[in-house]
Amino acid sequence: MKVVVVGCTHSGTAAVEQILKDHPETDVTVYEREDNIAFLSCGIALYLGRIVNRLEDMFYADPDTLKQDGADVKMKHEVLKIDSKKKTLVVKNLETGEEFEDSYDKLIMTTGSKTYTPVLKNFDNPRILLCKNYEQAQQIYESAKNYQSIAIIGGGYVGVELAESYANTIHNVTLIHAGKQVLNHYIDKPMSDKIVGLLRDHYVDVFLDERVSGFEDGDEITIKTNKGEHKADLIIVCTGFIANTDLLKGQVKMGEHDEIVVNEYVQSSDPDIYAAGDSCSVNFNPTQKPVYIPLATNAVRQGLLAGKNVFGDIQKYMGTQASTGLELFEHTLASTGATLKNALEDGLNADHVIYNDYYRPTFMPSNEMLMIDLVYDKDTRKILGAQLFSKHEVAQSANALSISIQNENTIDDLAFVDMLFQPNYDNPFNYLNLVAQMAVEKEEQEAKAK
């Protein structure tokens, strides 16, 4: 069987490795238009903030290894056209200009995503940069050496992480976000207020609910918005991602973000085409709906499954809670599952409780406050999501809550589930028990009031 993999970042690499592990006799061809694979873009902020010294350390795989394993890896080759009925591709060698045709038995689309770039006046200024891949990270790093004031457009994960990196390297930083809160896909407004406050405490100027309309060049670039103007020497645009799936438009079913809709075996509406990573949808377990959530964690899992399932319906995709974590000025923000806002928008009868307290007994010589926002379904009492914030390490607690959502546990389960007690780590009831007990009590009080 001949399998063609188009694109080779997280999901493509995982798919190729899995195919050659299980079926080393398979004819695997990889087409990648860049000269590198498997770049961890989440490490860009670490590099810009001088936490890691080599951007090259963000690669966790290389083409030569895939070749040694048995794949025919074609770097600097761009797929120009796919005909799913004929099962053929038109490919261009970007180094020689040669174009040729290839065919496949099974196709795995791991073309990833591209930065959403709104139509803005004078967007082509060389001091206006995007932030996603290796080359862009290099360009941003070199440019930032020469400029003092930096404006970041977009308050998602990339924008917030870059704001911290530049603030820590003594730049004047402005963060402009069109939404009314930052990180709006992952946290609710109470948690957003904490993050915005932390950014402002570190001299980042944050402007919310402000939409950029264009730019004007000069000694400084003028950023025009619906509420006024800002000035900066360098601008980084981080306005989100859209699926890079133009090659299959009109040939397979797609969602509202142009993502390929896949079934539980990461198979598209065409049975010979599989998709993984930022190019396709995921099943979001809290709502049981297909959505677009471009995360590396989703990509590697789907890629591995695509590598298995091209040989048959072997292993189902478990879905995702979209669990994420962020270290910001020595604080940890971690989230999993649905926010209250998103759960309500999806038609769920959702509610939440917010826990604020020390993570361990007050008799301990040092301590840290933590905040947990727990979201649950009032009808089923199932846990839908949670957001945690503290100087204490709470990322693994988000993982525990992710398991709870995956397993459809209720607030009653979480309120009394067995967790260790040791004064170095927590109270006799762990803080996850305690926030769930708050939710149980809230429901009991409401029931009595009826």
Side-chain angles (χ1 to χ4, degrees):
M1 183 170 72
K2 181 174 182 179
V3 180
V4 171
V5 179
V6 183
C8 198
T9 50
H10 306 301
S11 52
T13 300
V16 173
E17 290 176 341
Q18 191 64 42
I19 291 170
L20 297 176
K21 175 185 174 183
D22 293 344
H23 301 275
E25 74 285 356
T26 307
D27 181 358
V28 180
T29 300
V30 178
Y31 290 113
E32 170 55 56
R33 64 185 179 186
E34 302 294 339
D35 61 1
N36 59 78
I37 66 170
F39 176 67
L40 289 168
S41 58
C42 56
I44 293 176
L46 298 174
Y47 177 62
L48 297 178
R50 317 297 198 268
I51 296 171
V52 297
N53 296 321
R54 284 169 32 88
L55 191 60
E56 291 72 23
D57 292 340
M58 296 300 107
F59 293 106
Y60 62 89
D62 62 83
D64 289 339
T65 301
L66 296 185
K67 290 177 183 178
Q68 290 169 10
D69 290 341
D72 184 8
V73 182
K74 305 287 191 182
M75 303 301 294
K76 300 292 287 184
H77 280 66
E78 182 173 10
V79 176
L80 302 178
K81 183 180 179 181
I82 295 174
D83 188 327
S84 59
K85 291 183 178 178
K86 295 181 179 179
K87 300 173 78 169
T88 59
L89 311 90
V90 176
V91 185
K92 182 177 182 178
N93 184 326
L94 297 179
E95 294 182 317
T96 66
E98 174 196 6
E99 293 186 14
F100 58 92
E101 188 174 281
D102 198 0
S103 62
Y104 63 87
D105 296 311
K106 300 289 183 181
L107 180 69
I108 301 179
M109 290 294 290
T110 53
T111 44
S113 59
K114 51 192 174 185
T115 304
Y116 169 70
T117 51
V119 179
L120 299 172
K121 185 179 178 182
N122 297 323
F123 190 82
D124 57 350
N125 190 304
R127 286 188 285 158
I128 301 174
L129 306 175
L130 303 178
C131 182
K132 189 176 195 296
N133 61 31
Y134 174 65
E135 290 76 14
Q136 290 167 350
Q138 288 178 308
Q139 191 177 8
I140 290 170
Y141 182 81
E142 293 301 321
S143 298
K145 291 178 180 178
N146 304 317
Y147 298 112
Q148 181 59 34
S149 62
I150 297 175
I152 298 164
I153 313 300
Y157 262 97
V158 176
V160 170
E161 287 181 323
L162 290 181
E164 181 203 26
S165 294
Y166 286 127
N168 283 338
T169 50
I170 323 299
H171 288 86
N172 299 324
V173 186
T174 300
L175 178 65
I176 304 169
H177 185 54
K180 295 182 179 180
Q181 64 164 81
V182 297
L183 303 170
N184 44 286
H185 293 301
Y186 300 100
I187 62 176
D188 283 301
K189 192 174 184 304
M191 198 66 76
S192 171
D193 291 343
K194 284 276 190 184
I195 301 303
V196 170
L198 192 58
L199 288 167
R200 287 174 173 161
D201 287 345
H202 289 81
Y203 309 104
V204 176
D205 293 323
V206 181
F207 297 90
L208 300 176
D209 199 19
E210 195 160 343
R211 189 171 296 276
V212 174
S213 57
F215 307 97
E216 188 175 292
D217 200 8
D219 291 338
E220 291 182 298
I221 300 174
T222 300
I223 307 161
K224 297 182 177 294
T225 78
N226 60 322
K227 292 186 177 180
E229 296 181 350
H230 307 277
K231 292 183 181 293
D233 298 321
L234 182 70
I235 297 171
I236 316 294
V237 177
C238 314
T239 45
F241 304 112
I242 54 175
N244 188 22
T245 54
D246 292 346
L247 288 167
L248 285 178
K249 278 190 175 177
Q251 301 188 74
V252 296
K253 183 180 179 181
M254 293 188 181
E256 61 177 316
H257 298 280
D258 294 332
E259 75 276 18
I260 299 168
V261 176
V262 294
N263 64 14
E264 58 191 358
Y265 295 101
V266 298
Q267 184 180 44
S268 75
S269 56
D270 182 320
D272 293 320
I273 298 177
Y274 293 75
D278 289 8
S279 63
C280 72
S281 63
V282 297
N283 181 44
F284 189 50
N285 287 322
T287 61
Q288 292 296 305
K289 292 181 179 179
V291 294
Y292 185 58
I293 305 176
L295 289 173
T297 49
N298 295 334
V300 294
R301 286 162 177 76
Q302 288 183 315
L304 186 152
L305 292 174
K308 283 179 173 287
N309 292 326
V310 288
F311 299 96
D313 295 346
I314 295 171
Q315 184 170 341
K316 292 182 179 180
Y317 178 45
M318 294 176 68
T320 180
Q321 285 71 253
S323 304
T324 62
L326 168 71
E327 185 176 34
L328 190 70
F329 300 115
E330 299 181 347
H331 289 71
T332 295
L333 169 68
S335 69
T336 186
T339 64
L340 177 63
K341 180 176 180 292
N342 292 339
L344 292 171
E345 288 175 350
D346 278 323
L348 296 174
N349 184 20
D351 203 350
H352 74 144
V353 290
I354 297 178
Y355 175 87
N356 282 285
D357 207 340
Y358 291 105
Y359 80 93
R360 63 182 185 177
T362 55
F363 60 70
M364 295 300 289
S366 64
N367 218 328
E368 297 293 348
M369 289 289 293
L370 63 82
M371 175 181 177
I372 307 174
D373 192 335
L374 183 72
V375 183
Y376 62 94
D377 188 311
K378 293 174 68 66
D379 296 330
T380 65
R381 299 171 77 92
K382 289 179 183 177
I383 300 163
L384 298 176
Q387 304 139 51
L388 304 94
F389 178 76
S390 180
K391 272 193 169 183
H392 177 58
E393 197 286 304
V394 289
Q396 296 311 314
S397 293
N399 280 335
L401 289 167
S402 176
I403 296 169
S404 297
I405 299 168
Q406 180 82 56
N407 292 337
E408 300 186 343
N409 291 129
T410 65
I411 53 176
D412 309 278
D413 297 330
L414 184 60
F416 286 94
V417 68
D418 178 40
M419 292 189 179
L420 68 85
F421 163 57
Q422 212 285 335
N424 283 294
Y425 307 113
D426 60 358
N427 287 290
F429 272 114
N430 182 271
Y431 40 83
L432 297 184
N433 297 131
L434 294 172
V435 69
Q437 289 172 21
M438 286 179 63
V440 170
E441 183 176 356
K442 182 175 184 178
E443 291 304 301
E444 289 176 349
Q445 293 298 326
E446 289 187 6
K448 289 178 182 178
K450 289 181 181 179

